[in-house]
Amino acid sequence: MATILSGAAVANARSEALSARVTKLKKSGIVPTLAIIRLGERPEDLAYERGACKRCEQIGIAVQKFLLPQDAAQDAVLSAVEAINRDHTIHSALLFQPFPAHIGGDAVIAALNPAKDADGLTNDSKSHVFSGHGIGFPPCTAQACMEILHHYGYDVTGKRAVVIGRSMIIGRPVAMLLLQENATVTICHTKTEDLPALCRDADILIAAAGRANMVDSSYVSAHQVVFDVGINVGVDGKLVGDVDFAQVEPRVAAMTPVPGGVGAVTSTVLAAHVVEAAEGMA
Ligand code: NAP
């Protein structure tokens, strides 16, 4: 049986320290503030927004929402970004992705002040994650995996890490964060040959493919720590990870559950980015 790496435990421990930092900021007249830009009402965006707002409220962070219809014009989205850039009382922004097809997402992201980029979207943030220099934060989910590793005392130095997924929001940045901490990292994708064998060889396995239950018992081995980043909606409407919990949990050393794992930490990392940005602008 695996040790279950509870995201709630990590999030609660992190939140206490963040609340203390917010209290200090408020004493000097600064209310850390997150702006949210959301187009339309995708259920997954609404679910994430609810969790983020709840966490921010708990920590003492204010949230200002810029809500636009699904068919909003590009200029309206750019105006919201520019309003956020101009407003000195807003320290950080979350832009829900992907944008509808008629919106040029690259132009919207390029318009955001990188210092206010809470989720690693801008080129400056990406450059920071990949080079270790400059400004910006890693995407919250990628950092959440690292926070769980740190909280539970895993040292990745010299360990073999396999990441399933090469997106710019999870797969690649989490690979870079693992590399920064001296893991030996392999990034896998749909063209990877013999994926189960590569995965079995890993000390740390990060599943971020967005394929419900794809990681079964043929992908894992007994010594492994497995991170299930996937959030998929099952046929019954329930959340399912990329890892088949029933098959994998009895066969690995430790794993994150879905729900209650990586996703539970992501909103706390978002809050941490807002607080850090506010401290930086103080
Ligand atoms: P994405 O942009 O669709 O990328 C998925 C990646 O997985 C791609 O690189 C793809 O390879 C690879 N992949 C897909 N199926 C595969 C397979 N059968 N074998 C090997 N590789 C495969 O997705 P994403 O935005 O990175 O998100 C991944 C998952 O994380 C989703 O379930 C999403 O809902 C979840 N998520 C979780 C959180 C959280 O807080 N826990 C936050 C955001 C997203 P190719 O490049 O070859 O296509």
Side-chain angles (χ1 to χ4, degrees), residues 141 165-167 169-170 189-190 208-211 214 229-231 263 266:
T141 304
R166 57 177 163 179
S167 74
I169 197 75
I170 303 174
H189 46 79
T190 52
R211 298 280 178 271
M214 74 168 271
V229 179
I231 298 178
T266 300

Side-chain angles (χ1 to χ4, degrees), residues 50-74:
R50 271 193 301 276
C53 289
K54 196 170 155 199
R55 185 61 73 182
C56 284
E57 189 186 350
Q58 184 201 359
I59 291 170
I61 295 169
V63 177
Q64 202 171 316
K65 295 182 188 177
F66 294 74
L67 304 181
L68 298 162
Q70 175 78 10
D71 60 355
Q74 171 113 354

